[in-house]
């Protein structure tokens, strides 16, 4: 795949997704968790002070959210690695297929952990945004299935390419 424009656009999209992910991690997670923990702080402009139980609930959810976000950044790094293979005209190789298999496994496990953790938070009545996180978890499962299909396609294509190269 020698199309530099397509590779560059893919890399820009991956960097954009990483920046969006960082914004989610450092803005949305603390904001949404604080809304569920403290609510809208009436009265003082600085907000209300957290008691110990609220601080535990806030920290537990925030750490969980950050930990479940890390595999997503790893998957983006692997996608970027795939563009490196594409730039070297090694897109249809077993190594690149392995990248997509790793992405599928990482995202599937992470999505299941996200769904399980948010189910626990729902049962504890800690998070009012559980439905949003369920949708994100479901989208993660769909993305992992798409990555697995790409892995199977690339694996087959690599085998066909290797067979054709050996004939020539």
């Amino acid at each position: 795949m020698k199309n530099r424009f397509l590779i560059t656009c893919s890399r820009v999209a991956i960097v954009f997704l990483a920046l969006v992910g960082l914004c989610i991690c450092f803005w949305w997670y603390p904001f949404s968790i604080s809304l569920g923990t403290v609510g809208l702080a009436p009265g003082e402009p600085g907000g209300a002070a957290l008691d110990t139980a609220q601080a535990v609930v806030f920290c537990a959810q925030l750490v969980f959210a950050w930990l479940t976000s890390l595999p997503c950044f790893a998957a983006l790094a692997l996608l970027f690695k795939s563009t490196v293979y594409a730039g070297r005209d090694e897109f249809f190789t077993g190594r690149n297929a392995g990248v997509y298999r790793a992405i599928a496994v990482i995202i599937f496990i992470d999505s299941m952990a996200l769904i399980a953790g948010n189910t626990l938070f729902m049962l504890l009545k800690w998070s009012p945004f559980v439905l949003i996180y369920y949708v994100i978890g479901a989208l993660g499962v769909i993305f992992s299935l798409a990555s697995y299909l790409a892995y199977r396609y690339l694996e087959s294509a690599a085998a066909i390419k290797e067979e054709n190269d050996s004939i020539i």
Side-chain angles (χ1 to χ4, degrees):
M1 192 181 285
K2 293 271 185 182
N3 192 342
R4 294 284 170 211
F5 180 73
L6 183 60
I7 294 168
T8 302
C9 287
S10 298
R11 288 178 178 171
V12 168
I14 291 167
V15 169
F16 176 75
L17 285 174
L19 291 174
V20 168
L22 287 172
C23 289
I24 289 170
C25 286
F26 294 111
W27 182 78
W28 170 252
Y29 287 154
F31 176 72
S32 66
I33 294 168
S34 67
L35 278 179
T37 305
V38 181
L40 296 174
E44 297 182 30
L50 291 177
D51 63 7
T52 306
Q54 289 174 326
V56 168
V57 169
F58 178 81
C59 290
Q61 288 186 74
L62 188 59
V63 167
F64 174 77
W66 284 345
L67 287 177
T68 54
S69 296
L70 286 176
C72 296
F73 290 108
L76 287 175
L78 288 172
L79 277 174
F80 196 86
K81 183 178 179 181
S82 178
T83 65
V84 172
Y85 286 136
R88 294 188 302 208
D89 200 25
E90 297 174 1
F91 190 74
F92 296 108
T93 61
R95 289 186 303 178
N96 196 32
V99 167
Y100 281 90
R101 182 175 186 265
I103 290 170
V105 169
I106 288 169
I107 296 299
F108 183 77
I109 292 170
D110 187 49
S111 297
M112 290 294 108
L114 180 72
I115 291 169
N118 279 291
T119 300
L120 176 65
F121 295 151
M122 179 187 69
L123 294 174
L124 294 171
K125 296 182 179 22
W126 283 5
S127 177
F129 297 102
V130 158
L131 184 61
I132 292 171
Y133 296 121
Y134 280 163
V135 170
I136 292 170
L139 290 173
V141 170
I142 291 167
F143 182 74
S144 72
L145 291 174
S147 295
Y148 188 76
L149 288 173
Y151 153 69
R152 296 291 301 259
Y153 171 75
L154 288 173
E155 188 178 51
S156 298
I160 291 169
K161 181 180 178 190
E162 186 176 310
E163 182 180 317
N164 286 341
D165 289 346
S166 69
I167 292 172
I168 295 176

